[in-house]
Amino acid sequence: MTAAIRVAVIDDHPLFREGVTRSLSEIDGFEIVAEGSSAEDALRIAEQLNPHIMLMDISMPGGGLNAIPLILAKAPLQKIVMLTVSEASDDVTAALGHGAKGYVLKGIGSRALADVIRTVASGESYVTPTLSAKLLSSRSHASANQFELVASLTSREQEVLQLVASGMSNKLIARKLDLQEKTVKHHMTQIMTKLGVTNRTEAAMVWRDAIDQRGQ
């Protein structure tokens, strides 16, 4: 039996926090190990309890964005998912830049949130697709030619990225290319670093932009 994913929920709205806690507790495979309402709580919980995933709001005492680098300085392996109402590109960019592994809007359903947590716990990143698209559309194409970025990837990395853009999971890609799943994850890490993106959705969009550029 697979061990439960240990989750901490940090939000200064008790009713919302209790709702998230209760919803996840009712889904198999999750264990709520702590709740908190401030950046100080988040730092203490990360240090003392080492949850697999920390769900954290931006707007709370001490500031969620400010808390990210403090938490990672004390617990470098802590995976943080921002769960917030903010759709501001600056907030998304800041959160991911500080080291958060996920960014999700509070309107998400409990089952979808559970899927996001599983995704991040497995070592991948996740950003609500509408926000990823917004981020990419706001970037100046002049700052980085998408075709040149993709051309900088190795042939294997391009092969993996093409399959990601087609919608395949790491597990399916590993099976198709006869690789270990951890090898595919390593390739994805390298791909995202070279492309300057933070998640699979953005990487796939860069690939599609590059294909469009090549076809012009």
Short mmCIF file of all heavy atoms in Angstrom, two decimals, residues 122-192:
data_model
loop_
_atom_site.label_atom_id
_atom_site.label_comp_id
_atom_site.label_asym_id
_atom_site.label_seq_id
_atom_site.Cartn_x
_atom_site.Cartn_y
_atom_site.Cartn_z
N SER A 122 4.96 14.04 -6.85
CA SER A 122 5.73 13.13 -7.71
C SER A 122 6.98 13.78 -8.29
O SER A 122 7.77 13.13 -8.97
CB SER A 122 4.85 12.61 -8.85
OG SER A 122 4.64 13.60 -9.83
N GLY A 123 7.13 15.09 -8.03
CA GLY A 123 8.33 15.77 -8.50
C GLY A 123 8.12 16.75 -9.63
O GLY A 123 9.06 17.37 -10.11
N GLU A 124 6.88 16.90 -10.07
CA GLU A 124 6.59 17.83 -11.15
C GLU A 124 6.07 19.15 -10.59
O GLU A 124 5.77 19.26 -9.40
CB GLU A 124 5.57 17.21 -12.11
CG GLU A 124 6.05 15.93 -12.77
CD GLU A 124 5.02 15.31 -13.69
OE1 GLU A 124 4.25 16.08 -14.30
OE2 GLU A 124 4.97 14.07 -13.78
N SER A 125 5.95 20.14 -11.48
CA SER A 125 5.39 21.43 -11.10
C SER A 125 4.01 21.58 -11.72
O SER A 125 3.67 20.88 -12.68
CB SER A 125 6.29 22.58 -11.58
OG SER A 125 7.56 22.50 -10.98
N TYR A 126 3.22 22.51 -11.18
CA TYR A 126 1.88 22.72 -11.73
C TYR A 126 1.47 24.18 -11.55
O TYR A 126 1.63 24.74 -10.45
CB TYR A 126 0.84 21.82 -11.04
CG TYR A 126 -0.54 21.99 -11.62
CD1 TYR A 126 -0.97 21.20 -12.68
CD2 TYR A 126 -1.41 22.97 -11.14
CE1 TYR A 126 -2.23 21.37 -13.26
CE2 TYR A 126 -2.66 23.16 -11.71
CZ TYR A 126 -3.07 22.35 -12.76
OH TYR A 126 -4.30 22.54 -13.33
N VAL A 127 0.96 24.76 -12.61
CA VAL A 127 0.37 26.09 -12.55
C VAL A 127 -0.98 26.01 -13.25
O VAL A 127 -1.09 25.40 -14.33
CB VAL A 127 1.26 27.15 -13.25
CG1 VAL A 127 0.57 28.51 -13.26
CG2 VAL A 127 2.60 27.25 -12.54
N THR A 128 -2.01 26.60 -12.67
CA THR A 128 -3.32 26.63 -13.30
C THR A 128 -3.15 27.05 -14.77
O THR A 128 -2.55 28.09 -15.04
CB THR A 128 -4.24 27.63 -12.57
OG1 THR A 128 -4.46 27.16 -11.23
CG2 THR A 128 -5.58 27.77 -13.27
N PRO A 129 -3.62 26.23 -15.72
CA PRO A 129 -3.37 26.48 -17.14
C PRO A 129 -3.67 27.89 -17.63
O PRO A 129 -2.92 28.45 -18.42
CB PRO A 129 -4.26 25.44 -17.83
CG PRO A 129 -4.32 24.31 -16.86
CD PRO A 129 -4.36 24.97 -15.50
N THR A 130 -4.77 28.49 -17.16
CA THR A 130 -5.10 29.84 -17.61
C THR A 130 -4.02 30.84 -17.20
O THR A 130 -3.73 31.79 -17.92
CB THR A 130 -6.45 30.30 -17.04
OG1 THR A 130 -6.43 30.16 -15.60
CG2 THR A 130 -7.59 29.47 -17.60
N LEU A 131 -3.41 30.60 -16.04
CA LEU A 131 -2.36 31.49 -15.57
C LEU A 131 -1.07 31.26 -16.35
O LEU A 131 -0.33 32.21 -16.64
CB LEU A 131 -2.12 31.30 -14.07
CG LEU A 131 -3.30 31.62 -13.16
CD1 LEU A 131 -2.91 31.41 -11.70
CD2 LEU A 131 -3.78 33.05 -13.38
N SER A 132 -0.78 30.01 -16.70
CA SER A 132 0.40 29.70 -17.52
C SER A 132 0.30 30.40 -18.87
O SER A 132 1.26 31.01 -19.35
CB SER A 132 0.52 28.20 -17.75
OG SER A 132 0.93 27.53 -16.59
N ALA A 133 -0.89 30.31 -19.47
CA ALA A 133 -1.10 30.95 -20.77
C ALA A 133 -0.95 32.46 -20.67
O ALA A 133 -0.36 33.10 -21.54
CB ALA A 133 -2.49 30.59 -21.30
N LYS A 134 -1.48 33.02 -19.58
CA LYS A 134 -1.39 34.46 -19.36
C LYS A 134 0.07 34.90 -19.21
O LYS A 134 0.49 35.93 -19.74
CB LYS A 134 -2.18 34.82 -18.09
CG LYS A 134 -2.28 36.31 -17.80
CD LYS A 134 -3.15 36.52 -16.56
CE LYS A 134 -3.20 37.98 -16.18
NZ LYS A 134 -4.00 38.18 -14.94
N LEU A 135 0.85 34.09 -18.48
CA LEU A 135 2.26 34.42 -18.29
C LEU A 135 3.00 34.40 -19.61
O LEU A 135 3.78 35.31 -19.91
CB LEU A 135 2.91 33.40 -17.34
CG LEU A 135 2.76 33.60 -15.84
CD1 LEU A 135 3.50 32.48 -15.12
CD2 LEU A 135 3.30 34.94 -15.41
N LEU A 136 2.77 33.36 -20.39
CA LEU A 136 3.49 33.24 -21.65
C LEU A 136 3.10 34.32 -22.64
O LEU A 136 3.94 34.86 -23.35
CB LEU A 136 3.23 31.86 -22.27
CG LEU A 136 3.98 30.70 -21.62
CD1 LEU A 136 3.61 29.39 -22.31
CD2 LEU A 136 5.47 30.91 -21.68
N SER A 137 1.81 34.67 -22.68
CA SER A 137 1.37 35.68 -23.63
C SER A 137 1.91 37.06 -23.27
O SER A 137 2.03 37.93 -24.12
CB SER A 137 -0.17 35.72 -23.69
OG SER A 137 -0.70 36.14 -22.45
N SER A 138 2.23 37.24 -21.99
CA SER A 138 2.73 38.54 -21.54
C SER A 138 4.23 38.69 -21.77
O SER A 138 4.78 39.78 -21.67
CB SER A 138 2.42 38.75 -20.06
OG SER A 138 3.17 37.86 -19.26
N ARG A 139 4.89 37.58 -22.09
CA ARG A 139 6.33 37.65 -22.32
C ARG A 139 6.61 38.19 -23.72
O ARG A 139 5.93 37.86 -24.67
CB ARG A 139 6.96 36.26 -22.19
CG ARG A 139 6.96 35.74 -20.77
CD ARG A 139 7.54 34.34 -20.73
NE ARG A 139 7.56 33.82 -19.38
CZ ARG A 139 7.87 32.58 -19.06
NH1 ARG A 139 8.18 31.72 -20.03
NH2 ARG A 139 7.86 32.18 -17.82
N SER A 140 7.61 38.96 -23.84
CA SER A 140 8.00 39.50 -25.14
C SER A 140 8.70 38.42 -25.96
O SER A 140 9.68 37.85 -25.53
CB SER A 140 8.93 40.70 -24.96
OG SER A 140 9.50 41.06 -26.19
N HIS A 141 8.18 38.16 -27.15
CA HIS A 141 8.82 37.16 -28.00
C HIS A 141 10.21 37.63 -28.43
O HIS A 141 11.06 36.82 -28.81
CB HIS A 141 7.96 36.88 -29.23
CG HIS A 141 6.76 36.04 -28.94
ND1 HIS A 141 6.82 34.68 -28.77
CD2 HIS A 141 5.46 36.38 -28.75
CE1 HIS A 141 5.61 34.21 -28.50
NE2 HIS A 141 4.78 35.22 -28.48
N ALA A 142 10.41 38.93 -28.37
CA ALA A 142 11.72 39.45 -28.76
C ALA A 142 12.80 39.05 -27.78
O ALA A 142 13.98 39.01 -28.11
CB ALA A 142 11.66 40.97 -28.86
N SER A 143 12.41 38.75 -26.55
CA SER A 143 13.39 38.44 -25.52
C SER A 143 14.00 37.06 -25.70
O SER A 143 15.08 36.78 -25.21
CB SER A 143 12.76 38.54 -24.12
OG SER A 143 11.77 37.54 -23.98
N ALA A 144 13.29 36.18 -26.37
CA ALA A 144 13.83 34.82 -26.58
C ALA A 144 13.10 34.17 -27.74
O ALA A 144 11.90 33.97 -27.69
CB ALA A 144 13.67 33.99 -25.31
N ASN A 145 13.81 33.86 -28.79
CA ASN A 145 13.22 33.19 -29.94
C ASN A 145 12.91 31.74 -29.57
O ASN A 145 13.80 30.98 -29.22
CB ASN A 145 14.20 33.25 -31.11
CG ASN A 145 13.62 32.63 -32.36
OD1 ASN A 145 13.44 31.42 -32.44
ND2 ASN A 145 13.31 33.47 -33.33
N GLN A 146 11.64 31.39 -29.64
CA GLN A 146 11.21 30.06 -29.20
C GLN A 146 11.88 28.94 -30.01
O GLN A 146 12.26 27.91 -29.47
CB GLN A 146 9.68 29.93 -29.31
CG GLN A 146 8.90 31.05 -28.66
CD GLN A 146 8.96 31.02 -27.15
OE1 GLN A 146 9.73 30.28 -26.57
NE2 GLN A 146 8.17 31.84 -26.50
N PHE A 147 12.03 29.17 -31.31
CA PHE A 147 12.65 28.14 -32.14
C PHE A 147 14.10 27.91 -31.73
O PHE A 147 14.57 26.77 -31.66
CB PHE A 147 12.58 28.54 -33.62
CG PHE A 147 13.15 27.51 -34.54
CD1 PHE A 147 12.46 26.34 -34.81
CD2 PHE A 147 14.39 27.70 -35.13
CE1 PHE A 147 12.99 25.37 -35.66
CE2 PHE A 147 14.93 26.74 -35.97
CZ PHE A 147 14.23 25.58 -36.24
N GLU A 148 14.82 29.01 -31.44
CA GLU A 148 16.22 28.89 -31.02
C GLU A 148 16.33 28.18 -29.67
O GLU A 148 17.26 27.41 -29.45
CB GLU A 148 16.87 30.26 -30.96
CG GLU A 148 17.07 30.90 -32.33
CD GLU A 148 17.68 32.29 -32.23
OE1 GLU A 148 17.91 32.76 -31.09
OE2 GLU A 148 17.91 32.91 -33.28
N LEU A 149 15.37 28.45 -28.78
CA LEU A 149 15.38 27.79 -27.48
C LEU A 149 15.23 26.28 -27.65
O LEU A 149 15.96 25.49 -27.05
CB LEU A 149 14.26 28.33 -26.59
CG LEU A 149 14.46 29.71 -25.97
CD1 LEU A 149 13.19 30.15 -25.23
CD2 LEU A 149 15.64 29.69 -25.00
N VAL A 150 14.26 25.88 -28.45
CA VAL A 150 14.02 24.45 -28.67
C VAL A 150 15.22 23.82 -29.37
O VAL A 150 15.61 22.69 -29.07
CB VAL A 150 12.73 24.24 -29.48
CG1 VAL A 150 12.61 22.79 -29.94
CG2 VAL A 150 11.51 24.61 -28.63
N ALA A 151 15.83 24.56 -30.29
CA ALA A 151 16.99 24.04 -31.02
C ALA A 151 18.18 23.80 -30.09
O ALA A 151 19.06 23.00 -30.40
CB ALA A 151 17.39 25.01 -32.13
N SER A 152 18.18 24.49 -28.94
CA SER A 152 19.29 24.31 -27.98
C SER A 152 19.17 23.01 -27.20
O SER A 152 20.12 22.59 -26.52
CB SER A 152 19.33 25.49 -27.00
OG SER A 152 18.27 25.41 -26.05
N LEU A 153 18.01 22.35 -27.29
CA LEU A 153 17.81 21.08 -26.58
C LEU A 153 18.50 19.94 -27.33
O LEU A 153 18.65 19.98 -28.55
CB LEU A 153 16.31 20.77 -26.47
CG LEU A 153 15.42 21.81 -25.78
CD1 LEU A 153 13.96 21.35 -25.82
CD2 LEU A 153 15.86 22.05 -24.35
N THR A 154 18.90 18.92 -26.60
CA THR A 154 19.44 17.73 -27.24
C THR A 154 18.32 17.01 -27.99
O THR A 154 17.13 17.28 -27.77
CB THR A 154 20.04 16.76 -26.20
OG1 THR A 154 18.97 16.25 -25.38
CG2 THR A 154 21.07 17.46 -25.33
N SER A 155 18.70 16.11 -28.88
CA SER A 155 17.69 15.39 -29.66
C SER A 155 16.75 14.60 -28.74
O SER A 155 15.55 14.52 -28.98
CB SER A 155 18.35 14.45 -30.67
OG SER A 155 19.22 13.54 -30.03
N ARG A 156 17.30 14.02 -27.68
CA ARG A 156 16.46 13.26 -26.75
C ARG A 156 15.51 14.20 -26.02
O ARG A 156 14.33 13.87 -25.82
CB ARG A 156 17.34 12.50 -25.75
CG ARG A 156 16.55 11.78 -24.67
CD ARG A 156 15.64 10.71 -25.27
NE ARG A 156 16.29 9.41 -25.35
CZ ARG A 156 15.77 8.34 -25.93
NH1 ARG A 156 14.56 8.43 -26.49
NH2 ARG A 156 16.43 7.21 -25.97
N GLU A 157 16.01 15.37 -25.59
CA GLU A 157 15.15 16.34 -24.89
C GLU A 157 14.03 16.82 -25.81
O GLU A 157 12.89 16.98 -25.37
CB GLU A 157 16.00 17.51 -24.40
CG GLU A 157 16.90 17.15 -23.22
CD GLU A 157 17.95 18.20 -22.92
OE1 GLU A 157 18.11 19.15 -23.73
OE2 GLU A 157 18.62 18.07 -21.88
N GLN A 158 14.34 17.03 -27.09
CA GLN A 158 13.30 17.43 -28.04
C GLN A 158 12.26 16.34 -28.20
O GLN A 158 11.06 16.61 -28.30
CB GLN A 158 13.93 17.77 -29.39
CG GLN A 158 14.76 19.05 -29.39
CD GLN A 158 15.27 19.42 -30.77
OE1 GLN A 158 14.64 19.09 -31.78
NE2 GLN A 158 16.40 20.10 -30.82
N GLU A 159 12.73 15.09 -28.21
CA GLU A 159 11.82 13.95 -28.33
C GLU A 159 10.87 13.89 -27.14
O GLU A 159 9.66 13.70 -27.29
CB GLU A 159 12.66 12.67 -28.41
CG GLU A 159 11.90 11.45 -28.90
CD GLU A 159 12.83 10.26 -29.12
OE1 GLU A 159 13.98 10.29 -28.63
OE2 GLU A 159 12.39 9.31 -29.78
N VAL A 160 11.43 14.08 -25.93
CA VAL A 160 10.61 14.07 -24.72
C VAL A 160 9.62 15.23 -24.74
O VAL A 160 8.43 15.07 -24.44
CB VAL A 160 11.51 14.15 -23.46
CG1 VAL A 160 10.66 14.41 -22.21
CG2 VAL A 160 12.31 12.87 -23.29
N LEU A 161 10.09 16.42 -25.12
CA LEU A 161 9.23 17.61 -25.11
C LEU A 161 8.09 17.46 -26.11
O LEU A 161 6.95 17.87 -25.83
CB LEU A 161 10.05 18.86 -25.42
CG LEU A 161 9.29 20.19 -25.43
CD1 LEU A 161 8.53 20.40 -24.12
CD2 LEU A 161 10.24 21.35 -25.68
N GLN A 162 8.37 16.86 -27.26
CA GLN A 162 7.32 16.66 -28.25
C GLN A 162 6.21 15.77 -27.68
O GLN A 162 5.02 16.02 -27.90
CB GLN A 162 7.90 16.02 -29.51
CG GLN A 162 6.86 15.79 -30.61
CD GLN A 162 7.46 15.18 -31.86
OE1 GLN A 162 8.60 14.73 -31.84
NE2 GLN A 162 6.71 15.18 -32.95
N LEU A 163 6.60 14.74 -26.93
CA LEU A 163 5.61 13.85 -26.34
C LEU A 163 4.84 14.53 -25.21
O LEU A 163 3.65 14.30 -25.03
CB LEU A 163 6.29 12.57 -25.84
CG LEU A 163 6.92 11.71 -26.94
CD1 LEU A 163 7.69 10.54 -26.34
CD2 LEU A 163 5.86 11.21 -27.91
N VAL A 164 5.53 15.39 -24.45
CA VAL A 164 4.86 16.18 -23.41
C VAL A 164 3.81 17.07 -24.07
O VAL A 164 2.66 17.18 -23.60
CB VAL A 164 5.87 17.04 -22.62
CG1 VAL A 164 5.14 18.08 -21.76
CG2 VAL A 164 6.73 16.16 -21.73
N ALA A 165 4.18 17.72 -25.17
CA ALA A 165 3.26 18.62 -25.87
C ALA A 165 2.06 17.87 -26.43
O ALA A 165 0.99 18.45 -26.63
CB ALA A 165 3.99 19.35 -26.99
N SER A 166 2.23 16.56 -26.68
CA SER A 166 1.12 15.76 -27.19
C SER A 166 0.18 15.31 -26.07
O SER A 166 -0.84 14.68 -26.31
CB SER A 166 1.64 14.53 -27.94
OG SER A 166 2.16 13.56 -27.04
N GLY A 167 0.57 15.62 -24.82
CA GLY A 167 -0.28 15.32 -23.68
C GLY A 167 0.08 14.07 -22.91
O GLY A 167 -0.66 13.66 -22.01
N MET A 168 1.23 13.48 -23.21
CA MET A 168 1.62 12.24 -22.53
C MET A 168 2.23 12.51 -21.16
O MET A 168 2.94 13.51 -20.97
CB MET A 168 2.61 11.45 -23.39
CG MET A 168 2.01 10.92 -24.68
SD MET A 168 3.20 10.00 -25.70
CE MET A 168 3.41 8.53 -24.70
N SER A 169 1.97 11.63 -20.21
CA SER A 169 2.56 11.72 -18.87
C SER A 169 3.98 11.18 -18.89
O SER A 169 4.40 10.52 -19.85
CB SER A 169 1.73 10.89 -17.88
OG SER A 169 1.83 9.51 -18.20
N ASN A 170 4.73 11.45 -17.83
CA ASN A 170 6.10 10.92 -17.73
C ASN A 170 6.12 9.40 -17.83
O ASN A 170 7.01 8.81 -18.45
CB ASN A 170 6.75 11.35 -16.41
CG ASN A 170 7.18 12.81 -16.44
OD1 ASN A 170 7.19 13.42 -17.49
ND2 ASN A 170 7.52 13.35 -15.29
N LYS A 171 5.14 8.77 -17.20
CA LYS A 171 5.08 7.30 -17.21
C LYS A 171 4.91 6.77 -18.63
O LYS A 171 5.59 5.82 -19.04
CB LYS A 171 3.94 6.82 -16.32
CG LYS A 171 3.85 5.30 -16.19
CD LYS A 171 2.76 4.89 -15.20
CE LYS A 171 3.12 5.30 -13.79
NZ LYS A 171 2.14 4.80 -12.79
N LEU A 172 4.01 7.39 -19.40
CA LEU A 172 3.77 6.94 -20.77
C LEU A 172 4.97 7.24 -21.66
O LEU A 172 5.32 6.44 -22.54
CB LEU A 172 2.52 7.61 -21.33
CG LEU A 172 1.19 7.14 -20.75
CD1 LEU A 172 0.04 7.94 -21.33
CD2 LEU A 172 0.99 5.65 -21.02
N ILE A 173 5.60 8.40 -21.43
CA ILE A 173 6.79 8.75 -22.21
C ILE A 173 7.91 7.74 -21.95
O ILE A 173 8.58 7.28 -22.87
CB ILE A 173 7.27 10.18 -21.86
CG1 ILE A 173 6.24 11.20 -22.33
CG2 ILE A 173 8.63 10.47 -22.50
CD1 ILE A 173 6.51 12.61 -21.85
N ALA A 174 8.09 7.39 -20.67
CA ALA A 174 9.12 6.41 -20.31
C ALA A 174 8.86 5.08 -21.01
O ALA A 174 9.79 4.45 -21.54
CB ALA A 174 9.15 6.22 -18.79
N ARG A 175 7.60 4.68 -21.04
CA ARG A 175 7.25 3.41 -21.68
C ARG A 175 7.50 3.47 -23.19
O ARG A 175 8.06 2.53 -23.78
CB ARG A 175 5.77 3.10 -21.41
CG ARG A 175 5.31 1.72 -21.83
CD ARG A 175 3.87 1.51 -21.45
NE ARG A 175 3.66 1.69 -20.02
CZ ARG A 175 2.47 1.92 -19.47
NH1 ARG A 175 1.39 1.99 -20.24
NH2 ARG A 175 2.36 2.06 -18.16
N LYS A 176 7.13 4.58 -23.81
CA LYS A 176 7.28 4.72 -25.27
C LYS A 176 8.75 4.77 -25.69
O LYS A 176 9.13 4.20 -26.71
CB LYS A 176 6.57 5.99 -25.75
CG LYS A 176 6.62 6.18 -27.26
CD LYS A 176 5.80 7.39 -27.68
CE LYS A 176 5.86 7.57 -29.20
NZ LYS A 176 5.26 6.43 -29.92
N LEU A 177 9.58 5.45 -24.87
CA LEU A 177 10.99 5.63 -25.23
C LEU A 177 11.89 4.58 -24.58
O LEU A 177 13.12 4.65 -24.73
CB LEU A 177 11.46 7.03 -24.83
CG LEU A 177 10.73 8.20 -25.49
CD1 LEU A 177 11.32 9.52 -25.01
CD2 LEU A 177 10.81 8.10 -27.01
N ASP A 178 11.28 3.65 -23.84
CA ASP A 178 12.02 2.59 -23.16
C ASP A 178 13.06 3.19 -22.19
O ASP A 178 14.24 2.84 -22.20
CB ASP A 178 12.71 1.67 -24.17
CG ASP A 178 13.20 0.36 -23.52
OD1 ASP A 178 12.62 -0.02 -22.49
OD2 ASP A 178 14.16 -0.23 -24.03
N LEU A 179 12.58 4.12 -21.36
CA LEU A 179 13.42 4.77 -20.36
C LEU A 179 12.85 4.56 -18.97
O LEU A 179 11.68 4.19 -18.82
CB LEU A 179 13.50 6.29 -20.64
CG LEU A 179 14.09 6.75 -21.96
CD1 LEU A 179 13.87 8.25 -22.11
CD2 LEU A 179 15.58 6.42 -22.03
N GLN A 180 13.66 4.81 -17.95
CA GLN A 180 13.14 4.85 -16.58
C GLN A 180 12.36 6.15 -16.40
O GLN A 180 12.72 7.19 -16.97
CB GLN A 180 14.31 4.83 -15.58
CG GLN A 180 15.11 3.54 -15.58
CD GLN A 180 14.34 2.40 -14.93
OE1 GLN A 180 13.55 2.61 -14.03
NE2 GLN A 180 14.60 1.19 -15.39
N GLU A 181 11.29 6.11 -15.60
CA GLU A 181 10.50 7.31 -15.39
C GLU A 181 11.35 8.43 -14.76
O GLU A 181 11.19 9.60 -15.08
CB GLU A 181 9.29 7.01 -14.50
CG GLU A 181 8.31 8.17 -14.41
CD GLU A 181 7.03 7.81 -13.66
OE1 GLU A 181 6.84 6.62 -13.34
OE2 GLU A 181 6.24 8.72 -13.38
N LYS A 182 12.28 8.06 -13.88
CA LYS A 182 13.13 9.07 -13.25
C LYS A 182 14.05 9.73 -14.29
O LYS A 182 14.42 10.90 -14.13
CB LYS A 182 13.95 8.46 -12.12
CG LYS A 182 14.97 7.40 -12.53
CD LYS A 182 15.72 6.86 -11.33
CE LYS A 182 16.75 5.81 -11.74
NZ LYS A 182 17.47 5.26 -10.57
N THR A 183 14.39 8.99 -15.35
CA THR A 183 15.20 9.57 -16.43
C THR A 183 14.40 10.61 -17.19
O THR A 183 14.91 11.68 -17.55
CB THR A 183 15.69 8.47 -17.39
OG1 THR A 183 16.43 7.50 -16.66
CG2 THR A 183 16.55 9.06 -18.50
N VAL A 184 13.13 10.32 -17.42
CA VAL A 184 12.25 11.28 -18.09
C VAL A 184 12.11 12.54 -17.24
O VAL A 184 12.16 13.67 -17.74
CB VAL A 184 10.86 10.67 -18.37
CG1 VAL A 184 9.92 11.72 -18.98
CG2 VAL A 184 10.99 9.47 -19.31
N LYS A 185 11.95 12.36 -15.92
CA LYS A 185 11.85 13.51 -15.02
C LYS A 185 13.12 14.36 -15.08
O LYS A 185 13.05 15.60 -15.06
CB LYS A 185 11.59 13.05 -13.58
CG LYS A 185 10.21 12.48 -13.35
CD LYS A 185 10.02 12.08 -11.88
CE LYS A 185 8.63 11.53 -11.64
NZ LYS A 185 8.42 11.13 -10.23
N HIS A 186 14.28 13.69 -15.16
CA HIS A 186 15.54 14.42 -15.26
C HIS A 186 15.58 15.23 -16.56
O HIS A 186 15.98 16.40 -16.56
CB HIS A 186 16.72 13.45 -15.22
CG HIS A 186 18.04 14.11 -15.51
ND1 HIS A 186 18.66 14.94 -14.60
CD2 HIS A 186 18.85 14.06 -16.61
CE1 HIS A 186 19.79 15.38 -15.13
NE2 HIS A 186 19.93 14.86 -16.33
N HIS A 187 15.17 14.60 -17.65
CA HIS A 187 15.12 15.32 -18.93
C HIS A 187 14.21 16.54 -18.83
O HIS A 187 14.53 17.61 -19.34
CB HIS A 187 14.63 14.40 -20.06
CG HIS A 187 15.66 13.42 -20.54
ND1 HIS A 187 16.95 13.79 -20.84
CD2 HIS A 187 15.59 12.08 -20.78
CE1 HIS A 187 17.63 12.72 -21.26
NE2 HIS A 187 16.83 11.67 -21.22
N MET A 188 13.05 16.37 -18.18
CA MET A 188 12.10 17.49 -18.06
C MET A 188 12.70 18.63 -17.24
O MET A 188 12.48 19.80 -17.56
CB MET A 188 10.79 17.00 -17.42
CG MET A 188 9.81 16.37 -18.39
SD MET A 188 9.48 17.38 -19.87
CE MET A 188 8.87 18.90 -19.11
N THR A 189 13.45 18.29 -16.21
CA THR A 189 14.11 19.32 -15.42
C THR A 189 15.08 20.11 -16.28
O THR A 189 15.12 21.35 -16.23
CB THR A 189 14.86 18.70 -14.22
OG1 THR A 189 13.93 18.02 -13.38
CG2 THR A 189 15.58 19.77 -13.42
N GLN A 190 15.85 19.40 -17.08
CA GLN A 190 16.82 20.05 -17.98
C GLN A 190 16.11 20.90 -19.03
O GLN A 190 16.53 22.02 -19.33
CB GLN A 190 17.68 18.99 -18.68
CG GLN A 190 18.59 18.20 -17.76
CD GLN A 190 19.62 19.10 -17.08
OE1 GLN A 190 19.53 19.40 -15.89
NE2 GLN A 190 20.59 19.56 -17.85
N ILE A 191 15.03 20.36 -19.57
CA ILE A 191 14.25 21.08 -20.58
C ILE A 191 13.70 22.38 -20.03
O ILE A 191 13.84 23.45 -20.65
CB ILE A 191 13.09 20.19 -21.10
CG1 ILE A 191 13.64 19.05 -21.96
CG2 ILE A 191 12.09 21.02 -21.91
CD1 ILE A 191 12.63 17.96 -22.24
N MET A 192 13.09 22.33 -18.85
CA MET A 192 12.49 23.53 -18.27
C MET A 192 13.54 24.57 -17.93
O MET A 192 13.32 25.77 -18.09
CB MET A 192 11.65 23.15 -17.03
CG MET A 192 10.39 22.38 -17.39
SD MET A 192 9.24 22.11 -16.00
CE MET A 192 10.16 20.93 -15.01
#
